[in-house]
Amino acid sequence: MKSADAHLKICEADLAGLVDDLSRTIDRFPLPTRTQGKLIAIGIPMQGDIVTVE
């Protein structure tokens, strides 16, 4: 993942925007809390690989 995303130069603000968009999308659909947690849990470990710019 890290090498695939490096050229995108994603910073913390970009990732925060993605998380915000995801949260708003999840809120629009009647997803169970457990499913919401699973979606978020998938992305958290990838943060170090996705964010490539300070």
Side-chain angles (χ1 to χ4, degrees):
M1 176 80 77
K2 192 168 199 149
S3 61
D5 292 338
H7 74 284
L8 299 173
K9 296 180 174 42
I10 297 171
C11 66
E12 289 286 341
D14 296 327
L15 186 61
L18 172 66
V19 170
D20 185 52
D21 290 344
L22 178 61
S23 295
R24 290 175 189 219
T25 301
I26 287 173
D27 289 344
R28 294 186 74 190
F29 298 96
L31 292 175
T33 302
R34 182 175 176 182
T35 303
Q36 292 178 19
K38 285 181 181 181
L39 287 171
I40 293 168
I42 289 169
I44 291 173
M46 292 186 235
Q47 180 177 357
D49 290 339
I50 294 171
V51 175
T52 56
V53 176
E54 293 295 321

